[in-house]
Amino acid sequence: VAARRKFPQARIYSSKIDFKSAYRRLHLNHKTALQTCTQLPEDELALMSLRLTFGGAPGPFEWGVISETVCDLANAILHDNDWDPKRLRADARGLVPERKSIGEDIPIAQAKVQVVEVPVDPRGLVDVYIDDLIALTVDVGDNVERMEGAPLLAVEAIARPKHREEPLPREEMEARNKLEAEAAAEEIKTILGWRFDFHRFLISLPENKFIAWSKDIKNLIARGETHAKELEKNIGI
């Protein structure tokens, strides 16, 4: 909102990068690994995880040490005036599709006056939620190109590129299968389950989630009863 007020006629673009198999990249030390043991008495087996588990209580915090470090580095690169995104770029940068813009016939929605003054850096910002790196910027100068390149360069710097003769199989840290669908700079982007339209300034549910949520609510009302987990799911807890 503050960025639109500062640049009322400039487009706002967003990009998103996913970490590939985020939790599975962190190996547990022996003391923590022992705490993950699950016994199967009938089979006389004990299962122990050597990597961070999905659903485990410490997962978000432990992974956050890595993901937030990558996010901080992405912001440092994004705002570094000495960085040339054309000369220094990640190998995966070429996999990012061209930016997607809304037609000129649709006017850019204007922002209302805010209660507090929010500082705006036109270069933009990168934020992170667990395994999603989310970037936003204003279309001024080469800002969009910088926004598309900075998160990928930060990921590559932290993860290091794979050697041609890598001794152990290892996938790239960025989810390359999602780059084509999510990494392009767009004025409309689905972020954490919500559809953000930065051109019209609208937030809505994606159509598939709207249909599924509406169906669940109608079924719940028709039955006239529910249980705690179903209610929490529909409320959004």
Side-chain angles (χ1 to χ4, degrees):
V1 175
R4 176 56 50 79
R5 284 186 54 78
K6 187 172 182 178
F7 302 95
Q9 297 306 316
R11 296 172 184 263
I12 296 175
Y13 287 91
S14 178
S15 176
K16 189 170 73 168
I17 306 294
D18 279 21
F19 289 99
K20 177 70 174 179
S21 304
Y23 287 5
R24 307 301 294 165
R25 292 184 174 273
L26 291 187
H27 297 269
L28 302 178
N29 64 42
H30 67 283
K31 291 182 180 180
T32 305
L34 287 172
Q35 296 175 29
T36 70
C37 280
T38 301
Q39 295 184 16
L40 303 176
E42 294 181 0
D43 299 320
E44 297 183 349
L45 290 175
L47 303 179
M48 180 174 65
S49 177
L50 301 180
R51 299 183 184 183
L52 203 61
T53 59
F54 288 96
F61 165 76
E62 296 291 352
W63 170 248
V65 175
I66 303 296
S67 64
E68 290 180 25
T69 299
V70 175
C71 183
D72 289 344
L73 178 58
N75 276 305
I77 294 171
L78 184 67
H79 297 119
D80 188 344
N81 292 326
D82 293 329
W83 175 52
D84 183 349
K86 289 184 172 62
R87 294 184 60 189
L88 182 59
R89 47 191 281 166
D91 289 341
R93 179 65 180 85
L95 301 176
V96 178
E98 295 293 324
R99 74 178 70 174
K100 299 177 183 178
S101 305
I102 293 176
E104 298 287 349
D105 57 319
I106 299 177
I108 295 175
Q110 296 304 300
K112 302 290 185 180
V113 177
Q114 296 169 282
V115 176
V116 295
E117 200 67 33
V118 178
V120 175
D121 189 322
R123 282 278 166 82
L125 179 72
V126 182
D127 206 345
V128 65
Y129 180 76
I130 302 181
D131 61 351
D132 288 340
L133 281 172
I134 304 154
L136 286 166
T137 196
V138 180
D139 188 14
V140 176
D142 65 348
N143 285 352
V144 177
E145 184 179 12
R146 296 174 69 87
M147 178 198 70
E148 291 177 317
L152 284 173
L153 186 56
V155 170
E156 184 171 296
I158 293 292
R160 78 167 173 76
K162 289 198 306 184
H163 192 274
R164 293 179 180 178
E165 299 178 4
E166 194 77 30
L168 296 175
R170 183 172 68 89
E171 294 186 273
E172 289 80 4
M173 198 171 189
E174 69 278 356
R176 294 199 170 186
N177 60 323
K178 293 186 177 181
L179 290 181
E180 184 176 352
E182 299 180 343
E186 298 177 288
E187 289 187 89
I188 300 177
K189 182 74 71 177
T190 299
I191 302 173
L192 303 181
W194 291 92
R195 184 175 182 270
F196 287 82
D197 185 335
F198 298 103
H199 193 95
R200 303 177 183 86
F201 260 33
L202 298 173
I203 302 176
S204 59
L205 277 175
E207 185 176 1
N208 62 322
K209 291 201 171 187
F210 170 76
I211 293 172
W213 203 0
S214 299
K215 182 180 179 181
D216 288 344
I217 293 173
K218 288 177 182 177
N219 290 339
L220 187 153
I221 294 173
R223 291 199 317 269
E225 61 182 17
T226 186
H227 50 78
K229 285 191 175 181
E230 182 184 37
L231 191 60
E232 288 177 356
K233 174 186 173 185
N234 283 288
I235 292 175
I237 295 177

